[in-house]
PDB file of all heavy atoms in Angstrom:
ATOM      1  N   MET A  92      24.773 -51.741 -31.792  1.00  0.00           N
ATOM      2  CA  MET A  92      23.344 -51.981 -31.746  1.00  0.00           C
ATOM      3  C   MET A  92      23.119 -53.470 -31.350  1.00  0.00           C
ATOM      4  O   MET A  92      23.877 -54.354 -31.743  1.00  0.00           O
ATOM      5  CB  MET A  92      22.750 -51.731 -33.134  1.00  0.00           C
ATOM      6  CG  MET A  92      22.904 -50.317 -33.642  1.00  0.00           C
ATOM      7  SD  MET A  92      22.146 -49.090 -32.575  1.00  0.00           S
ATOM      8  CE  MET A  92      20.412 -49.451 -32.789  1.00  0.00           C
ATOM      9  N   PRO A  93      22.091 -53.691 -30.562  1.00  0.00           N
ATOM     10  CA  PRO A  93      21.803 -55.076 -30.149  1.00  0.00           C
ATOM     11  C   PRO A  93      21.310 -55.933 -31.325  1.00  0.00           C
ATOM     12  O   PRO A  93      20.723 -55.435 -32.250  1.00  0.00           O
ATOM     13  CB  PRO A  93      20.711 -54.917 -29.085  1.00  0.00           C
ATOM     14  CG  PRO A  93      20.042 -53.626 -29.460  1.00  0.00           C
ATOM     15  CD  PRO A  93      21.096 -52.739 -30.042  1.00  0.00           C
ATOM     16  N   MET A  94      21.577 -57.246 -31.230  1.00  0.00           N
ATOM     17  CA  MET A  94      21.085 -58.228 -32.228  1.00  0.00           C
ATOM     18  C   MET A  94      21.356 -57.726 -33.657  1.00  0.00           C
ATOM     19  O   MET A  94      20.426 -57.657 -34.501  1.00  0.00           O
ATOM     20  CB  MET A  94      19.572 -58.456 -31.998  1.00  0.00           C
ATOM     21  CG  MET A  94      19.313 -59.103 -30.656  1.00  0.00           C
ATOM     22  SD  MET A  94      17.578 -59.293 -30.205  1.00  0.00           S
ATOM     23  CE  MET A  94      16.773 -59.764 -31.721  1.00  0.00           C
ATOM     24  N   MET A  95      22.577 -57.370 -33.942  1.00  0.00           N
ATOM     25  CA  MET A  95      22.931 -56.711 -35.170  1.00  0.00           C
ATOM     26  C   MET A  95      22.547 -57.505 -36.428  1.00  0.00           C
ATOM     27  O   MET A  95      21.856 -57.037 -37.292  1.00  0.00           O
ATOM     28  CB  MET A  95      24.448 -56.380 -35.213  1.00  0.00           C
ATOM     29  CG  MET A  95      24.764 -55.304 -36.193  1.00  0.00           C
ATOM     30  SD  MET A  95      26.431 -54.715 -36.061  1.00  0.00           S
ATOM     31  CE  MET A  95      26.677 -54.415 -34.323  1.00  0.00           C
ATOM     32  N   GLU A  96      23.002 -58.735 -36.564  1.00  0.00           N
ATOM     33  CA  GLU A  96      22.758 -59.527 -37.712  1.00  0.00           C
ATOM     34  C   GLU A  96      21.290 -59.816 -37.897  1.00  0.00           C
ATOM     35  O   GLU A  96      20.753 -59.686 -38.986  1.00  0.00           O
ATOM     36  CB  GLU A  96      23.552 -60.815 -37.744  1.00  0.00           C
ATOM     37  CG  GLU A  96      25.051 -60.584 -38.086  1.00  0.00           C
ATOM     38  CD  GLU A  96      25.280 -59.865 -39.406  1.00  0.00           C
ATOM     39  OE1 GLU A  96      24.561 -60.175 -40.408  1.00  0.00           O
ATOM     40  OE2 GLU A  96      26.099 -58.983 -39.481  1.00  0.00           O
ATOM     41  N   PRO A  97      20.575 -60.252 -36.821  1.00  0.00           N
ATOM     42  CA  PRO A  97      19.142 -60.492 -36.984  1.00  0.00           C
ATOM     43  C   PRO A  97      18.404 -59.275 -37.449  1.00  0.00           C
ATOM     44  O   PRO A  97      17.489 -59.308 -38.251  1.00  0.00           O
ATOM     45  CB  PRO A  97      18.682 -60.947 -35.619  1.00  0.00           C
ATOM     46  CG  PRO A  97      19.869 -61.529 -34.952  1.00  0.00           C
ATOM     47  CD  PRO A  97      21.022 -60.709 -35.507  1.00  0.00           C
ATOM     48  N   ALA A  98      18.785 -58.072 -36.905  1.00  0.00           N
ATOM     49  CA  ALA A  98      18.092 -56.827 -37.245  1.00  0.00           C
ATOM     50  C   ALA A  98      18.299 -56.500 -38.712  1.00  0.00           C
ATOM     51  O   ALA A  98      17.412 -56.001 -39.424  1.00  0.00           O
ATOM     52  CB  ALA A  98      18.545 -55.675 -36.374  1.00  0.00           C
ATOM     53  N   ILE A  99      19.525 -56.762 -39.232  1.00  0.00           N
ATOM     54  CA  ILE A  99      19.823 -56.519 -40.643  1.00  0.00           C
ATOM     55  C   ILE A  99      18.936 -57.423 -41.536  1.00  0.00           C
ATOM     56  O   ILE A  99      18.369 -57.008 -42.528  1.00  0.00           O
ATOM     57  CB  ILE A  99      21.302 -56.639 -40.959  1.00  0.00           C
ATOM     58  CG1 ILE A  99      22.048 -55.493 -40.314  1.00  0.00           C
ATOM     59  CG2 ILE A  99      21.581 -56.767 -42.435  1.00  0.00           C
ATOM     60  CD1 ILE A  99      23.564 -55.586 -40.329  1.00  0.00           C
ATOM     61  N   LEU A 100      18.834 -58.689 -41.140  1.00  0.00           N
ATOM     62  CA  LEU A 100      17.997 -59.596 -41.917  1.00  0.00           C
ATOM     63  C   LEU A 100      16.546 -59.247 -41.833  1.00  0.00           C
ATOM     64  O   LEU A 100      15.812 -59.329 -42.828  1.00  0.00           O
ATOM     65  CB  LEU A 100      18.259 -61.052 -41.450  1.00  0.00           C
ATOM     66  CG  LEU A 100      19.683 -61.561 -41.628  1.00  0.00           C
ATOM     67  CD1 LEU A 100      19.848 -62.943 -41.039  1.00  0.00           C
ATOM     68  CD2 LEU A 100      20.098 -61.504 -43.095  1.00  0.00           C
ATOM     69  N   VAL A 101      16.099 -58.787 -40.687  1.00  0.00           N
ATOM     70  CA  VAL A 101      14.721 -58.306 -40.541  1.00  0.00           C
ATOM     71  C   VAL A 101      14.449 -57.125 -41.463  1.00  0.00           C
ATOM     72  O   VAL A 101      13.433 -56.981 -42.094  1.00  0.00           O
ATOM     73  CB  VAL A 101      14.388 -57.927 -39.066  1.00  0.00           C
ATOM     74  CG1 VAL A 101      13.090 -57.136 -38.954  1.00  0.00           C
ATOM     75  CG2 VAL A 101      14.285 -59.204 -38.239  1.00  0.00           C
ATOM     76  N   SER A 102      15.465 -56.230 -41.582  1.00  0.00           N
ATOM     77  CA  SER A 102      15.325 -55.088 -42.507  1.00  0.00           C
ATOM     78  C   SER A 102      15.099 -55.558 -43.915  1.00  0.00           C
ATOM     79  O   SER A 102      14.275 -54.939 -44.641  1.00  0.00           O
ATOM     80  CB  SER A 102      16.540 -54.133 -42.413  1.00  0.00           C
ATOM     81  OG  SER A 102      17.664 -54.662 -43.090  1.00  0.00           O
ATOM     82  N   MET A 103      15.749 -56.611 -44.339  1.00  0.00           N
ATOM     83  CA  MET A 103      15.543 -57.166 -45.686  1.00  0.00           C
ATOM     84  C   MET A 103      14.134 -57.685 -45.833  1.00  0.00           C
ATOM     85  O   MET A 103      13.469 -57.419 -46.829  1.00  0.00           O
ATOM     86  CB  MET A 103      16.553 -58.289 -45.968  1.00  0.00           C
ATOM     87  CG  MET A 103      17.962 -57.863 -46.092  1.00  0.00           C
ATOM     88  SD  MET A 103      19.048 -59.278 -46.281  1.00  0.00           S
ATOM     89  CE  MET A 103      18.499 -59.982 -47.857  1.00  0.00           C
ATOM     90  N   VAL A 104      13.640 -58.413 -44.834  1.00  0.00           N
ATOM     91  CA  VAL A 104      12.296 -58.979 -44.890  1.00  0.00           C
ATOM     92  C   VAL A 104      11.234 -57.865 -44.922  1.00  0.00           C
ATOM     93  O   VAL A 104      10.316 -57.870 -45.732  1.00  0.00           O
ATOM     94  CB  VAL A 104      12.069 -59.933 -43.693  1.00  0.00           C
ATOM     95  CG1 VAL A 104      10.620 -60.377 -43.605  1.00  0.00           C
ATOM     96  CG2 VAL A 104      12.993 -61.121 -43.805  1.00  0.00           C
ATOM     97  N   VAL A 105      11.420 -56.842 -44.062  1.00  0.00           N
ATOM     98  CA  VAL A 105      10.451 -55.768 -43.976  1.00  0.00           C
ATOM     99  C   VAL A 105      10.397 -54.979 -45.252  1.00  0.00           C
ATOM    100  O   VAL A 105       9.335 -54.767 -45.850  1.00  0.00           O
ATOM    101  CB  VAL A 105      10.755 -54.847 -42.754  1.00  0.00           C
ATOM    102  CG1 VAL A 105       9.937 -53.554 -42.819  1.00  0.00           C
ATOM    103  CG2 VAL A 105      10.491 -55.568 -41.453  1.00  0.00           C
ATOM    104  N   ILE A 106      11.561 -54.502 -45.725  1.00  0.00           N
ATOM    105  CA  ILE A 106      11.554 -53.666 -46.941  1.00  0.00           C
ATOM    106  C   ILE A 106      11.185 -54.473 -48.158  1.00  0.00           C
ATOM    107  O   ILE A 106      10.456 -53.998 -49.019  1.00  0.00           O
ATOM    108  CB  ILE A 106      12.934 -52.952 -47.116  1.00  0.00           C
ATOM    109  CG1 ILE A 106      13.214 -52.103 -45.862  1.00  0.00           C
ATOM    110  CG2 ILE A 106      12.909 -52.084 -48.364  1.00  0.00           C
ATOM    111  CD1 ILE A 106      14.615 -51.532 -45.833  1.00  0.00           C
ATOM    112  N   GLY A 107      11.623 -55.745 -48.212  1.00  0.00           N
ATOM    113  CA  GLY A 107      11.214 -56.600 -49.303  1.00  0.00           C
ATOM    114  C   GLY A 107       9.689 -56.772 -49.357  1.00  0.00           C
ATOM    115  O   GLY A 107       9.099 -56.716 -50.427  1.00  0.00           O
ATOM    116  N   GLY A 108       9.105 -56.944 -48.173  1.00  0.00           N
ATOM    117  CA  GLY A 108       7.635 -57.081 -48.092  1.00  0.00           C
ATOM    118  C   GLY A 108       6.946 -55.789 -48.525  1.00  0.00           C
ATOM    119  O   GLY A 108       5.899 -55.842 -49.186  1.00  0.00           O
ATOM    120  N   LEU A 109       7.468 -54.646 -48.110  1.00  0.00           N
ATOM    121  CA  LEU A 109       6.870 -53.379 -48.492  1.00  0.00           C
ATOM    122  C   LEU A 109       6.897 -53.198 -50.025  1.00  0.00           C
ATOM    123  O   LEU A 109       5.950 -52.671 -50.618  1.00  0.00           O
ATOM    124  CB  LEU A 109       7.620 -52.220 -47.817  1.00  0.00           C
ATOM    125  CG  LEU A 109       7.509 -52.137 -46.325  1.00  0.00           C
ATOM    126  CD1 LEU A 109       8.474 -51.115 -45.764  1.00  0.00           C
ATOM    127  CD2 LEU A 109       6.089 -51.801 -45.895  1.00  0.00           C
ATOM    128  N   ILE A 110       7.961 -53.658 -50.654  1.00  0.00           N
ATOM    129  CA  ILE A 110       8.065 -53.619 -52.086  1.00  0.00           C
ATOM    130  C   ILE A 110       7.076 -54.625 -52.772  1.00  0.00           C
ATOM    131  O   ILE A 110       6.368 -54.228 -53.677  1.00  0.00           O
ATOM    132  CB  ILE A 110       9.526 -53.858 -52.557  1.00  0.00           C
ATOM    133  CG1 ILE A 110      10.462 -52.776 -52.095  1.00  0.00           C
ATOM    134  CG2 ILE A 110       9.576 -54.011 -54.097  1.00  0.00           C
ATOM    135  CD1 ILE A 110      11.912 -53.113 -52.198  1.00  0.00           C
ATOM    136  N   ALA A 111       7.117 -55.830 -52.297  1.00  0.00           N
ATOM    137  CA  ALA A 111       6.340 -56.909 -52.898  1.00  0.00           C
ATOM    138  C   ALA A 111       4.861 -56.587 -52.901  1.00  0.00           C
ATOM    139  O   ALA A 111       4.163 -56.826 -53.868  1.00  0.00           O
ATOM    140  CB  ALA A 111       6.597 -58.237 -52.186  1.00  0.00           C
ATOM    141  N   TRP A 112       4.381 -56.016 -51.784  1.00  0.00           N
ATOM    142  CA  TRP A 112       2.988 -55.720 -51.686  1.00  0.00           C
ATOM    143  C   TRP A 112       2.656 -54.260 -51.974  1.00  0.00           C
ATOM    144  O   TRP A 112       1.558 -53.792 -51.684  1.00  0.00           O
ATOM    145  CB  TRP A 112       2.447 -56.179 -50.327  1.00  0.00           C
ATOM    146  CG  TRP A 112       2.307 -57.678 -50.351  1.00  0.00           C
ATOM    147  CD1 TRP A 112       1.188 -58.353 -50.834  1.00  0.00           C
ATOM    148  CD2 TRP A 112       3.231 -58.684 -49.997  1.00  0.00           C
ATOM    149  NE1 TRP A 112       1.438 -59.682 -50.773  1.00  0.00           N
ATOM    150  CE2 TRP A 112       2.665 -59.916 -50.266  1.00  0.00           C
ATOM    151  CE3 TRP A 112       4.528 -58.617 -49.465  1.00  0.00           C
ATOM    152  CZ2 TRP A 112       3.347 -61.142 -50.021  1.00  0.00           C
ATOM    153  CZ3 TRP A 112       5.218 -59.798 -49.209  1.00  0.00           C
ATOM    154  CH2 TRP A 112       4.629 -61.017 -49.497  1.00  0.00           C
ATOM    155  N   ARG A 113       3.663 -53.538 -52.525  1.00  0.00           N
ATOM    156  CA  ARG A 113       3.482 -52.166 -52.988  1.00  0.00           C
ATOM    157  C   ARG A 113       2.827 -51.320 -51.929  1.00  0.00           C
ATOM    158  O   ARG A 113       1.893 -50.548 -52.171  1.00  0.00           O
ATOM    159  CB  ARG A 113       2.693 -52.159 -54.293  1.00  0.00           C
ATOM    160  CG  ARG A 113       3.408 -52.943 -55.386  1.00  0.00           C
ATOM    161  CD  ARG A 113       2.514 -53.102 -56.604  1.00  0.00           C
ATOM    162  NE  ARG A 113       2.278 -51.892 -57.292  1.00  0.00           N
ATOM    163  CZ  ARG A 113       2.982 -51.416 -58.315  1.00  0.00           C
ATOM    164  NH1 ARG A 113       4.046 -52.124 -58.763  1.00  0.00           N
ATOM    165  NH2 ARG A 113       2.667 -50.294 -58.913  1.00  0.00           N
ATOM    166  N   VAL A 114       3.343 -51.453 -50.687  1.00  0.00           N
ATOM    167  CA  VAL A 114       2.787 -50.686 -49.556  1.00  0.00           C
ATOM    168  C   VAL A 114       3.194 -49.219 -49.716  1.00  0.00           C
ATOM    169  O   VAL A 114       4.335 -48.868 -49.933  1.00  0.00           O
ATOM    170  CB  VAL A 114       3.365 -51.267 -48.246  1.00  0.00           C
ATOM    171  CG1 VAL A 114       2.852 -50.423 -47.048  1.00  0.00           C
ATOM    172  CG2 VAL A 114       2.933 -52.699 -48.074  1.00  0.00           C
ATOM    173  N   GLN A 115       2.177 -48.368 -49.527  1.00  0.00           N
ATOM    174  CA  GLN A 115       2.402 -46.924 -49.605  1.00  0.00           C
ATOM    175  C   GLN A 115       2.283 -46.335 -48.203  1.00  0.00           C
ATOM    176  O   GLN A 115       1.295 -46.619 -47.514  1.00  0.00           O
ATOM    177  CB  GLN A 115       1.369 -46.300 -50.525  1.00  0.00           C
ATOM    178  CG  GLN A 115       1.495 -46.721 -51.957  1.00  0.00           C
ATOM    179  CD  GLN A 115       2.688 -46.130 -52.666  1.00  0.00           C
ATOM    180  OE1 GLN A 115       3.070 -44.962 -52.423  1.00  0.00           O
ATOM    181  NE2 GLN A 115       3.356 -46.895 -53.471  1.00  0.00           N
ATOM    182  N   PHE A 116       3.265 -45.577 -47.806  1.00  0.00           N
ATOM    183  CA  PHE A 116       3.226 -44.868 -46.542  1.00  0.00           C
ATOM    184  C   PHE A 116       3.370 -43.383 -46.823  1.00  0.00           C
ATOM    185  O   PHE A 116       3.943 -43.012 -47.842  1.00  0.00           O
ATOM    186  CB  PHE A 116       4.376 -45.292 -45.630  1.00  0.00           C
ATOM    187  CG  PHE A 116       4.140 -46.536 -44.827  1.00  0.00           C
ATOM    188  CD1 PHE A 116       4.897 -47.662 -45.023  1.00  0.00           C
ATOM    189  CD2 PHE A 116       3.135 -46.576 -43.851  1.00  0.00           C
ATOM    190  CE1 PHE A 116       4.664 -48.827 -44.296  1.00  0.00           C
ATOM    191  CE2 PHE A 116       2.922 -47.714 -43.129  1.00  0.00           C
ATOM    192  CZ  PHE A 116       3.691 -48.851 -43.340  1.00  0.00           C
ATOM    193  N   GLY A 117       2.993 -42.567 -45.845  1.00  0.00           N
ATOM    194  CA  GLY A 117       3.320 -41.176 -45.918  1.00  0.00           C
ATOM    195  C   GLY A 117       4.814 -41.030 -45.757  1.00  0.00           C
ATOM    196  O   GLY A 117       5.508 -41.955 -45.307  1.00  0.00           O
ATOM    197  N   LEU A 118       5.313 -39.836 -46.054  1.00  0.00           N
ATOM    198  CA  LEU A 118       6.755 -39.614 -46.074  1.00  0.00           C
ATOM    199  C   LEU A 118       7.380 -39.848 -44.661  1.00  0.00           C
ATOM    200  O   LEU A 118       8.386 -40.527 -44.551  1.00  0.00           O
ATOM    201  CB  LEU A 118       7.051 -38.190 -46.543  1.00  0.00           C
ATOM    202  CG  LEU A 118       8.555 -37.829 -46.620  1.00  0.00           C
ATOM    203  CD1 LEU A 118       9.293 -38.792 -47.553  1.00  0.00           C
ATOM    204  CD2 LEU A 118       8.733 -36.396 -47.082  1.00  0.00           C
ATOM    205  N   LEU A 119       6.742 -39.278 -43.597  1.00  0.00           N
ATOM    206  CA  LEU A 119       7.343 -39.415 -42.262  1.00  0.00           C
ATOM    207  C   LEU A 119       7.412 -40.858 -41.780  1.00  0.00           C
ATOM    208  O   LEU A 119       8.469 -41.288 -41.340  1.00  0.00           O
ATOM    209  CB  LEU A 119       6.596 -38.523 -41.287  1.00  0.00           C
ATOM    210  CG  LEU A 119       7.187 -38.473 -39.873  1.00  0.00           C
ATOM    211  CD1 LEU A 119       8.668 -37.977 -39.879  1.00  0.00           C
ATOM    212  CD2 LEU A 119       6.354 -37.608 -38.955  1.00  0.00           C
ATOM    213  N   PRO A 120       6.309 -41.638 -41.842  1.00  0.00           N
ATOM    214  CA  PRO A 120       6.436 -43.035 -41.441  1.00  0.00           C
ATOM    215  C   PRO A 120       7.474 -43.789 -42.261  1.00  0.00           C
ATOM    216  O   PRO A 120       8.195 -44.662 -41.713  1.00  0.00           O
ATOM    217  CB  PRO A 120       5.049 -43.603 -41.637  1.00  0.00           C
ATOM    218  CG  PRO A 120       4.107 -42.427 -41.670  1.00  0.00           C
ATOM    219  CD  PRO A 120       4.939 -41.291 -42.200  1.00  0.00           C
ATOM    220  N   ALA A 121       7.570 -43.503 -43.555  1.00  0.00           N
ATOM    221  CA  ALA A 121       8.525 -44.209 -44.403  1.00  0.00           C
ATOM    222  C   ALA A 121       9.948 -43.861 -43.939  1.00  0.00           C
ATOM    223  O   ALA A 121      10.817 -44.750 -43.873  1.00  0.00           O
ATOM    224  CB  ALA A 121       8.340 -43.808 -45.869  1.00  0.00           C
ATOM    225  N   ILE A 122      10.210 -42.605 -43.639  1.00  0.00           N
ATOM    226  CA  ILE A 122      11.574 -42.202 -43.180  1.00  0.00           C
ATOM    227  C   ILE A 122      11.894 -42.886 -41.850  1.00  0.00           C
ATOM    228  O   ILE A 122      12.990 -43.373 -41.625  1.00  0.00           O
ATOM    229  CB  ILE A 122      11.623 -40.684 -43.030  1.00  0.00           C
ATOM    230  CG1 ILE A 122      11.735 -40.037 -44.447  1.00  0.00           C
ATOM    231  CG2 ILE A 122      12.834 -40.252 -42.198  1.00  0.00           C
ATOM    232  CD1 ILE A 122      11.690 -38.529 -44.468  1.00  0.00           C
ATOM    233  N   VAL A 123      10.886 -42.949 -40.950  1.00  0.00           N
ATOM    234  CA  VAL A 123      11.126 -43.608 -39.691  1.00  0.00           C
ATOM    235  C   VAL A 123      11.504 -45.104 -39.848  1.00  0.00           C
ATOM    236  O   VAL A 123      12.431 -45.622 -39.241  1.00  0.00           O
ATOM    237  CB  VAL A 123       9.869 -43.476 -38.751  1.00  0.00           C
ATOM    238  CG1 VAL A 123       9.972 -44.372 -37.527  1.00  0.00           C
ATOM    239  CG2 VAL A 123       9.691 -42.000 -38.330  1.00  0.00           C
ATOM    240  N   ILE A 124      10.753 -45.787 -40.756  1.00  0.00           N
ATOM    241  CA  ILE A 124      11.050 -47.215 -40.996  1.00  0.00           C
ATOM    242  C   ILE A 124      12.473 -47.373 -41.537  1.00  0.00           C
ATOM    243  O   ILE A 124      13.234 -48.219 -41.065  1.00  0.00           O
ATOM    244  CB  ILE A 124      10.037 -47.808 -42.005  1.00  0.00           C
ATOM    245  CG1 ILE A 124       8.659 -47.924 -41.344  1.00  0.00           C
ATOM    246  CG2 ILE A 124      10.495 -49.170 -42.558  1.00  0.00           C
ATOM    247  CD1 ILE A 124       7.546 -48.217 -42.313  1.00  0.00           C
ATOM    248  N   ILE A 125      12.832 -46.543 -42.484  1.00  0.00           N
ATOM    249  CA  ILE A 125      14.181 -46.625 -43.094  1.00  0.00           C
ATOM    250  C   ILE A 125      15.251 -46.269 -42.096  1.00  0.00           C
ATOM    251  O   ILE A 125      16.327 -46.887 -41.993  1.00  0.00           O
ATOM    252  CB  ILE A 125      14.245 -45.790 -44.381  1.00  0.00           C
ATOM    253  CG1 ILE A 125      13.348 -46.386 -45.476  1.00  0.00           C
ATOM    254  CG2 ILE A 125      15.709 -45.713 -44.861  1.00  0.00           C
ATOM    255  CD1 ILE A 125      13.589 -47.832 -45.804  1.00  0.00           C
ATOM    256  N   ALA A 126      15.002 -45.246 -41.276  1.00  0.00           N
ATOM    257  CA  ALA A 126      15.993 -44.816 -40.283  1.00  0.00           C
ATOM    258  C   ALA A 126      16.225 -45.894 -39.261  1.00  0.00           C
ATOM    259  O   ALA A 126      17.369 -46.152 -38.913  1.00  0.00           O
ATOM    260  CB  ALA A 126      15.510 -43.519 -39.608  1.00  0.00           C
ATOM    261  N   ILE A 127      15.184 -46.506 -38.791  1.00  0.00           N
ATOM    262  CA  ILE A 127      15.314 -47.566 -37.795  1.00  0.00           C
ATOM    263  C   ILE A 127      16.122 -48.741 -38.375  1.00  0.00           C
ATOM    264  O   ILE A 127      17.036 -49.274 -37.676  1.00  0.00           O
ATOM    265  CB  ILE A 127      13.942 -48.046 -37.317  1.00  0.00           C
ATOM    266  CG1 ILE A 127      13.288 -46.961 -36.430  1.00  0.00           C
ATOM    267  CG2 ILE A 127      14.043 -49.358 -36.521  1.00  0.00           C
ATOM    268  CD1 ILE A 127      11.841 -47.247 -36.091  1.00  0.00           C
ATOM    269  N   THR A 128      15.857 -49.084 -39.606  1.00  0.00           N
ATOM    270  CA  THR A 128      16.606 -50.257 -40.173  1.00  0.00           C
ATOM    271  C   THR A 128      18.035 -49.875 -40.564  1.00  0.00           C
ATOM    272  O   THR A 128      18.923 -50.653 -40.377  1.00  0.00           O
ATOM    273  CB  THR A 128      15.877 -50.804 -41.396  1.00  0.00           C
ATOM    274  OG1 THR A 128      15.724 -49.793 -42.397  1.00  0.00           O
ATOM    275  CG2 THR A 128      14.497 -51.321 -41.060  1.00  0.00           C
ATOM    276  N   SER A 129      18.249 -48.657 -40.989  1.00  0.00           N
ATOM    277  CA  SER A 129      19.552 -48.228 -41.491  1.00  0.00           C
ATOM    278  C   SER A 129      20.591 -48.055 -40.392  1.00  0.00           C
ATOM    279  O   SER A 129      21.787 -48.275 -40.619  1.00  0.00           O
ATOM    280  CB  SER A 129      19.459 -46.948 -42.318  1.00  0.00           C
ATOM    281  OG  SER A 129      18.764 -47.209 -43.517  1.00  0.00           O
ATOM    282  N   VAL A 130      20.163 -47.668 -39.197  1.00  0.00           N
ATOM    283  CA  VAL A 130      21.157 -47.432 -38.114  1.00  0.00           C
ATOM    284  C   VAL A 130      21.913 -48.727 -37.813  1.00  0.00           C
ATOM    285  O   VAL A 130      23.095 -48.725 -37.484  1.00  0.00           O
ATOM    286  CB  VAL A 130      20.442 -46.818 -36.912  1.00  0.00           C
ATOM    287  CG1 VAL A 130      19.549 -47.807 -36.133  1.00  0.00           C
ATOM    288  CG2 VAL A 130      21.461 -46.168 -35.940  1.00  0.00           C
ATOM    289  N   TRP A 131      21.223 -49.869 -37.939  1.00  0.00           N
ATOM    290  CA  TRP A 131      21.888 -51.162 -37.704  1.00  0.00           C
ATOM    291  C   TRP A 131      22.946 -51.394 -38.775  1.00  0.00           C
ATOM    292  O   TRP A 131      24.013 -51.974 -38.452  1.00  0.00           O
ATOM    293  CB  TRP A 131      20.856 -52.300 -37.672  1.00  0.00           C
ATOM    294  CG  TRP A 131      20.399 -52.628 -36.302  1.00  0.00           C
ATOM    295  CD1 TRP A 131      20.952 -53.532 -35.422  1.00  0.00           C
ATOM    296  CD2 TRP A 131      19.299 -52.017 -35.603  1.00  0.00           C
ATOM    297  NE1 TRP A 131      20.272 -53.538 -34.258  1.00  0.00           N
ATOM    298  CE2 TRP A 131      19.248 -52.641 -34.340  1.00  0.00           C
ATOM    299  CE3 TRP A 131      18.372 -51.027 -35.923  1.00  0.00           C
ATOM    300  CZ2 TRP A 131      18.270 -52.270 -33.357  1.00  0.00           C
ATOM    301  CZ3 TRP A 131      17.420 -50.693 -34.973  1.00  0.00           C
ATOM    302  CH2 TRP A 131      17.400 -51.332 -33.735  1.00  0.00           C
ATOM    303  N   HIS A 132      22.690 -51.044 -39.991  1.00  0.00           N
ATOM    304  CA  HIS A 132      23.661 -51.240 -41.061  1.00  0.00           C
ATOM    305  C   HIS A 132      24.939 -50.372 -40.770  1.00  0.00           C
ATOM    306  O   HIS A 132      26.046 -50.896 -40.976  1.00  0.00           O
ATOM    307  CB  HIS A 132      23.075 -50.866 -42.443  1.00  0.00           C
ATOM    308  CG  HIS A 132      22.078 -51.862 -42.854  1.00  0.00           C
ATOM    309  ND1 HIS A 132      22.454 -52.988 -43.661  1.00  0.00           N
ATOM    310  CD2 HIS A 132      20.754 -51.997 -42.693  1.00  0.00           C
ATOM    311  CE1 HIS A 132      21.384 -53.703 -43.914  1.00  0.00           C
ATOM    312  NE2 HIS A 132      20.317 -53.099 -43.326  1.00  0.00           N
TER     313      HIS A 132
END
Side-chain angles (χ1 to χ4, degrees):
M92 299 301 292
M94 297 174 38
M95 199 171 314
E96 285 304 318
I99 288 171
L100 297 177
V101 165
S102 75
M103 292 175 64
V104 171
V105 168
I106 302 170
L109 293 170
I110 294 166
W112 284 275
R113 300 171 68 93
V114 176
Q115 295 288 321
F116 276 116
L118 182 59
L119 185 58
I122 286 174
V123 169
I124 290 168
I125 293 304
I127 289 170
T128 59
S129 293
V130 73
W131 267 269
H132 288 270

